[in-house]
């Protein structure tokens, strides 16, 4: 069969292919079914943006921790309990009134898995990968975020094994909130740098 | 390689569309692909190249017509075939079997020890720094030009950076050099830096205002400007 004949790209075709591959590799004793189940469960349940949100809130509420996080991201994140594949070295970038950082991987879809989980579809899309480096402000507009021209936009192309995560600004009006409440408002997109964290009062 | 995967600055891909409350895996086969890929790490199926180069080597039309997990699936399958673990004929036959038997599922093999090993990979912290004794040839503040290289093998120097001038802003240590030539040859670890480029340097008069681009450059990617 040629590639073109293969290429239906409906879910069922990929599903069929996956079943065939898994079945053959299991039969040859190369992979274990339960190991695959565990990988799936881990990324569905245990590793996701809630990890990064905990890191962000700790930085918002503990100035000494924030200092460590910005200087040595990997070890500061390990303090909170997060390590693993696609996070061998994590550099944390602080957004301020004057600087807005955002992260892309133009060559692939590299992403800090231990703190943010697996990347969302838009991060892996050709549109984001091609445009984020050349027209970041226009891309941010697609996300509903319009930045003042005075704000310096810093785009990080994640081309090496180093992974980047954004420390978003703590919104005004959140002084009385508990850490648990703060964790709830830190969205995944703010830690990639395509959104800001809104204060809960301004959301609705 | 100057492949379709090297997308920085390309036009024509449209708006970035954002899905609210997106699930981790949209279909269960995507999760299986993720698990298969991780399970195959210990079998070194992508050597002498790597997983990324296997994905990059898909034809441009197949690359663009495939989703992220479809690309990973094809790379895993192509790697397993290249290593001789499975054959293309076996794949065709097995697919035909599942086509005829849509309710059938792959047989199961349970191995608690293997799962333990794979969970270790998932949570392992593997430092990137290599103690080679190599001293960095550039200092923070140095003005550098990205080399104009066009290797056919794997590289992490994107086209839009080549030939452009920037400033070294940080030295990260010595990391494995990622480039792999067509014969599967690799080089020694090298110093790696964060290098800052002005948007205007990269995109000329059409650049957006007040923008900087940061990218990681191994020593071999840059020269004094």
């Amino acid at each position: 069969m040629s590639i073109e004949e293969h290429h239906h790209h409906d879910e069922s075709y990929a599903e069929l292919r996956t079943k065939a591959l898994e079945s053959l590799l299991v039969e040859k004793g190369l992979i274990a079914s339960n190991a695959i189940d565990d990988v799936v469960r881990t990324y569905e349940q245990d590793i996701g943006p809630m990890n990064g949100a905990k890191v962000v809130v700790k930085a918002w509420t503990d100035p000494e921790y924030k200092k460590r996080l910005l200087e040595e991201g990997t070890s500061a994140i390990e303090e909170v309990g997060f390590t693993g594949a696609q996070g061998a070295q994590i550099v944390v970038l602080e957004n301020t009134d004057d600087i807005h950082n955002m992260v892309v991987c133009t060559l692939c879809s590299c992403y800090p898995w231990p703190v943010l989980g697996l990347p969302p579809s838009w991060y892996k899309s050709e549109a984001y990968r091609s445009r984020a480096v050349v027209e970041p402000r226009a891309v941010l507009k697609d996300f509903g975020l319009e930045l003042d021209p005075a704000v310096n936009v810093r785009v990080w192309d994640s081309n090496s094994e180093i992974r980047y995560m954004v420390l978003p600004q703590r919104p005004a009006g959140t002084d009385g909130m508990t850490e648990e409440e703060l964790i709830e408002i830190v969205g995944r997109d703010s830690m990639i740098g395509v959104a800001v964290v809104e204060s809960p009062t301004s959301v609705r | 390689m100057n492949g379709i995967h090297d997308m920085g600055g390309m036009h024509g891909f449209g708006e970035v569309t954002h899905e609210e409350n997106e699930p981790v895996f949209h279909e269960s086969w995507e999760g299986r692909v993720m698990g298969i890929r991780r399970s195959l790490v210990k079998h070194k199926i992508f050597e002498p190249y790597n997983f990324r180069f296997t994905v990059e080597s898909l034809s441009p039309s197949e690359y663009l017509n495939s989703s992220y997990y479809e690309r990973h699936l094809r790379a895993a399958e192509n790697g397993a075939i290249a290593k001789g673990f499975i054959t293309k004929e076996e794949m065709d036959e097995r697919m035909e079997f599942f086509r005829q038997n849509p309710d059938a599922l792959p047989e199961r093999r349970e191995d608690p020890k293997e799962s333990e090993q794979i969970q270790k990979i998932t949570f392992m912290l593997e430092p990137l720094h290599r103690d080679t004794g190599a001293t960095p040839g550039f200092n923070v503040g140095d003005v550098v030009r990205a080399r104009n290289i066009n290797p056919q093998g794997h590289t992490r120097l994107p086209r839009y950076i080549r030939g452009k001038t920037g400033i070294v802003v940080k030295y990260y240590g010595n990391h494995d050099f990622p480039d792999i030539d067509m014969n599967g040859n690799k080089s020694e670890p090298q110093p790696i830096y964060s290098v800052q480029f002005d948007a205007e340097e990269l995109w000329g008069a059409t650049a957006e205002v007040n923008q900087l681009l940061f990218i990681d450059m191994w020593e071999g990617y840059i020269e004094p400007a």
Side-chain angles (χ1 to χ4, degrees), chain A residues 17 22-23 28 30-31 33-34 37-38 43 83 121 126 130 137 153 155 157 159-160 164 189, chain B residues 5 9 18 22 32 38 43 70-71 77 90 94 108-109 111 115 123 160 208 210 212 214 216:
Chain A
R17 235 186 156 94
E22 180 174 344
S23 158
K28 289 164 195 281
L30 292 162
I31 61 174
S33 318
N34 61 307
D37 301 342
D38 291 345
Y43 284 107
T83 56
S121 294
E126 287 84 7
S130 62
R137 286 173 198 272
V153 175
V155 180
D157 189 348
N159 66 322
S160 76
Y164 294 93
D189 293 355
Chain B
H5 68 285
H18 187 260
E22 184 177 343
R32 303 312 285 175
R38 181 144 303 160
H43 298 300
E70 282 176 311
R71 286 172 200 153
E77 183 188 332
E90 284 176 313
R94 199 55 58 97
R108 289 189 64 88
R109 177 176 163 264
D111 185 342
S115 176
F123 291 104
Y160 77 92
E208 286 186 347
N210 203 1
L212 296 172
F214 295 80
D216 303 328

Side-chain angles (χ1 to χ4, degrees), chain B residues 143-146 160-167 196-208 211-213 225:
Chain B
V143 179
V144 294
R145 187 182 304 105
Y160 77 92
I161 294 292
R162 297 175 194 167
K164 302 295 201 263
T165 300
I167 301 167
Q196 170 195 310
F197 295 85
D198 252 10
E200 268 189 49
E201 166 71 5
L202 300 176
W203 313 112
T206 57
E208 286 186 347
Q211 187 214 328
L212 296 172
L213 186 287

Side-chain angles (χ1 to χ4, degrees), chain A residues 170-183:
Chain A
R170 180 172 179 168
T174 55
D175 287 353
M177 290 173 70
T178 66
E179 287 191 16
E180 288 70 27
E181 287 166 340
L182 288 169
I183 287 168

Side-chain angles (χ1 to χ4, degrees), chain A residues 30-131:
Chain A
L30 292 162
I31 61 174
S33 318
N34 61 307
I36 296 173
D37 301 342
D38 291 345
V39 170
V40 172
R41 195 177 49 248
T42 301
Y43 284 107
E44 280 186 333
Q45 294 174 15
D46 304 333
I47 302 180
M50 60 285 186
N51 294 6
K54 284 179 192 157
V55 171
V56 166
V57 170
K58 192 166 166 62
W60 282 351
T61 54
D62 178 348
E64 280 302 309
Y65 179 76
K66 178 178 164 184
K67 198 163 165 269
R68 291 200 295 284
L69 182 68
L70 295 174
E71 277 169 11
E72 278 296 335
T74 322
S75 56
I77 287 165
E78 190 180 7
E79 271 181 53
V80 190
F82 309 126
T83 56
Q86 300 294 320
Q89 187 170 344
I90 302 177
V91 171
V92 179
L93 311 163
E94 184 185 19
N95 280 356
T96 65
D97 287 342
D98 306 316
I99 294 171
H100 183 93
N101 295 285
M102 61 190 276
V103 182
V104 63
C105 172
T106 60
L107 295 174
C108 185
S109 304
C110 297
Y111 192 74
W113 292 5
V115 278
L116 298 185
L118 298 177
S121 294
W122 65 258
Y123 187 84
K124 300 178 285 193
S125 70
E126 287 84 7
Y128 187 74
R129 286 170 52 194
S130 62
R131 291 177 56 212

Side-chain angles (χ1 to χ4, degrees), chain B residues 48-50 53 152-155 178-186:
Chain B
Y49 307 109
N50 59 19
F53 189 60
Q152 289 189 37
H154 182 68
T155 186
D179 290 28
I180 304 172
D181 74 14
M182 296 305 282
N183 298 316
N185 296 313
K186 299 167 194 166

Side-chain angles (χ1 to χ4, degrees), chain A residues 72-74 77 84 86-91 112 160-164, chain B residues 125-129 170-173 175 192:
Chain A
E72 278 296 335
T74 322
I77 287 165
Q86 300 294 320
Q89 187 170 344
I90 302 177
V91 171
S160 76
E161 295 313 306
I162 297 165
R163 297 289 173 266
Y164 294 93
Chain B
L125 188 59
E126 230 183 342
L128 299 176
H129 180 69
K170 192 172 167 123
Y171 164 57
Y172 281 125
H175 290 188
I192 181 170

